[in-house]
Amino acid sequence: MKNRNNYNYLLSDLDNLVGVGKKTMMILKKKNINNIFDLLWKLPKSYTDRSVINKINELQIGKISTVKVIPIKYIFPRVRNLPNKVICEDITGKINCIFFNSYEGYIKKILPLNEEVTISGKINIFKNQYQITNPTYLSKDSSIIEKVHNKYSLTEGITEKSYNKIIKQILQNLPLLKEWHDIKILKKFGNESWNNSIIKLHDPNNIANYKSNFYKRLAFDEIFSSFLVKSQIRKKIKKIKKDSKKFTQISYSNTLKKLRFDLTNDQNKALNDINKDLTSKSKMFRLLQGDVGSGKTIVSLISALNVIESNFQVALMAPTEILARQHFNLAKELFPKNISIQLLSSKSENSEKKKIIKNLANNEIKMIFGTHAIFQKKIIFSKLGYIIIDEQHKFGVRQRKLLSDKGGKNCDILLMSATPIPRTLTMTIYGDMDVSLIKEKPNHRKEVKTYSKPESKIDDVINFVKKEINNGSQIFWVCPLIEESKKIDHQSSVKKFTFLKKIFPNKVGLLHGKIDIDEKEKILYKFLNKEYSILVSTTIIEVGIDFPNANVIVIENSNKFGLSQLHQLRGRVGRGSKQSSCILLFKSNLSQNAKKRINILKNSNDGFEISEEDMKLRGFGDLLGFKQSGIKNFKLADPVQNEDLFILAEKEIQKIEKNNHDIQRYKPLLKLYDQADIINDIV
Ligand code: ADP
Ligand code: MG
C-alpha cells in the first residue's frame, strides 16, 4: 500500500486484488460487486472451526472436520470418470481422500506417502468407509490450518477458501481513514473508528451483532452520508436566486369564497409554506405530501393563482390526461374568468394545439394543464414561474434533480404525492426537498368502513353490491395483481367481468393492463359519467382521480397487496358525503401475519400510521412504489431497527445546515458511500 490514508484503494477495481482474475471479477460484477468497497458488505453468515483436530474414529458424517493422518496408498484408476483415491490412516482407523480432476503429480506432492499431514473437509461415508472429497486444507504443519474459516453466502464459482483469502487481504490493506465524525458523535459509538468497525464486522465472533457499537457506527455512516448528500442538493437548489413573486391575497380570498368549505389547518399551513417560498428570493423545491383525499389540489391551485397574479405562467403536470382534465375543470370553476387557462390534450385538434403553443409563447395563456407532454421541446413559455407536478412519488432523486433545473431560475417547483411514508424515511426519500405535510382530512368526511370476507362468502358481497347499486352508488372491483404474470391478471379480470356481467347486465366495465391508454381513458370517463355501475380493473385505478359517486371498493385476494397500497385503493372511495365501504376479499387460511395486516387497515384510516405499520411488517424496500424510485437499499441500516440513528442523523444534518458547516471533512465518507455522480459537484 502506497498511501494508507487514501480511500482510493477501496474504490479501485477488483482486479487490484491478488487472486482475483478476470473470471472471478466477472462473477462478482454479476452480483453488482464492482469495487473493493462493495466486497466489504458481504458478511460472514457462520463459520467453521477447523482448529480442532479429530481422531478418525470420532468423525461425524456431514460435518467439516480436521484430521491428522498418514497417507499409505495411492489408487489411480486411469479410467475416465473414476476419481483418484489416497488411503490415509491414523491409529484409530482409515479414511479415503477422493480427488476429481486432480493430477497425480499434484496429489503425490500434497499427500506424500508415510508422512504426517493435516487435512480438512466435509466427512462422508461411502461403502462403509470414511472419505473426504477434494479436501480443502492440506498441510504438513497443522498450525497452518486456519483456525476459523468464515462462511459467506457464496457466489457460485468462487470457493470458500479463495473468498476468505480475498476478504482477509482487503482487511489487511484497509486504509486508515481520518475520522470524519466529531468527538461527540464518535463517543455515542464507543469511539469505534471506521477501520476497526469494518474489521469487527468480519470477525466471526461478531456475526449478527446488530446492537454493538461498531455495527451502529457503520449503519450511522450510511444514513448520515445519504442524508448529507440530499441536504447538499437542497442547499444547492436554494442558492439559485430568483425574482420573487409579488402578489396580494385578493384573488386568493375571492377563490376561497367560491369554495363550499373552509381549508383545514394543515391546508392553510401548507399554503403559507408555499407562499413564503414564492415570495422569497430563492427557488422553491417543495414536496406537498398528504394522505389520499387530504385536499392537495386546492392548495396547489390557490398558490397557482398567486403566481399568476404576480404575472408569471404556471404549468401543472399530472400522470394521466384524465387527472389533468379533472384539475383543469376545477380550476375553470374557481379561477376568475379573465384568467386564460388551457388543457393540452393528446386528443385536441392540431390547429387547437398550435394555438395553445402560440398563446403560451406570447403569455396569453396563464396556466396550462397536461401530462408530460407540456414539457415537449416545442412548447416555449413566455414567463414560466411555477411548475406543479401531481402524484409523482415515483420520481427518484436523480430525476428530481433534473426537474429542479427545469424552467430556469425563476421557476418554483411543487411536487405533490399521496403516498404517506414513515416519519424516519422522510429524509431518506425526500431529503433533497422541503416538505409540507397535510395530515388532517377534511372533517365532514365519513371514514370508509373496512370489512374482510373469505371468498366463499362472495354471495353476501354480491347482495351488498346490489343494494348499493340500487341506492345509486358505483363500485370498484379490483382483481388480484400478480406481478409475475400479466397473463393471469388478464384472465382473472376477464373471468370476473364475465361473472359480474351475468348478474348485472349492461352495468359492468372492464379495465386491464392490455388496454391502451386512449381506450382506458374512455372507460374511465364512462364510469365517471355513470354509464357503468361496476368497474372491474386489474391495474391500480389511476391515483388522484376524484370519483365522487363511487362508494364501494371490493379488493380480491387482498393479501397480495401491501398495506399502503390497500390504503391507496381504499382512498378511491369516500370522497362524497355518503357512507363508503371497502371490502377485502381473501382466500381462506390467512396466515397470522395476514390477519394482523387486515386488522391494521380496519382500525386505521391514517395513511402515515399505516405506512409505519407496513414498514414494520414488510421492511421498507417493499413499501409502495419505492422500489422503482431509485432510493438505494441500505447495506446495514434498517429504518425499523435503527430508528434512533435516523433521528440522530437528521439532527446532525440540521446542525450542519443551520451553522453552515464546511463538509469537506466528510468527503471520504461521501465518496465511499454515495458514489453517485450527484455528489461530484458537491465535494
Ligand atoms: P388529494 O389530496 O388526494 O389530491 P383532492 O385534492 O383530490 O385530494 O381532494 C379530495 C376531495 O376533497 C375533493 O373533492 C376536494 O374538493 C375535497 N376537499 C378538499 N379540501 C377540502 C376541505 N378543506 N373541506 C372539504 N372538502 C375538501
Ligand atoms: Mg390528488
Side-chain angles (χ1 to χ4, degrees), residues 545-560:
I545 309 171
D546 230 358
F547 295 95
N549 199 47
N551 277 328
V552 180
I553 183 162
V554 179
I555 306 172
E556 281 196 45
N557 219 347
S558 54
N559 47 316
K560 283 262 183 267

Side-chain angles (χ1 to χ4, degrees), residues 259-264 267 290-299 326-327 330 390-391 416 418 438 441-445 544-546 548 572 575:
L259 291 176
R260 278 150 298 177
F261 48 75
D262 293 327
L263 295 187
T264 62
Q267 281 174 317
D291 210 345
V292 273
S294 60
K296 295 180 291 293
T297 320
I298 193 72
V299 172
Q326 230 176 24
H327 292 340
L330 181 61
D390 194 18
E391 296 298 352
M416 299 196 279
I438 305 186
K441 300 242 176 87
N443 51 18
H444 69 90
R445 202 161 294 156
I545 309 171
D546 230 358
R572 296 299 101 223
R575 299 294 181 102

Side-chain angles (χ1 to χ4, degrees), residues 148-165:
V148 280
H149 185 70
N150 283 345
K151 272 193 169 163
Y152 293 87
S153 55
L154 272 187
T155 309
E156 211 178 314
I158 303 177
T159 65
E160 207 176 83
K161 188 174 166 185
S162 47
Y163 202 81
N164 266 270
K165 248 183 172 166

Side-chain angles (χ1 to χ4, degrees), residues 31 35 64 452:
K31 289 265 163 178
N35 59 23
I64 292 172
S452 58

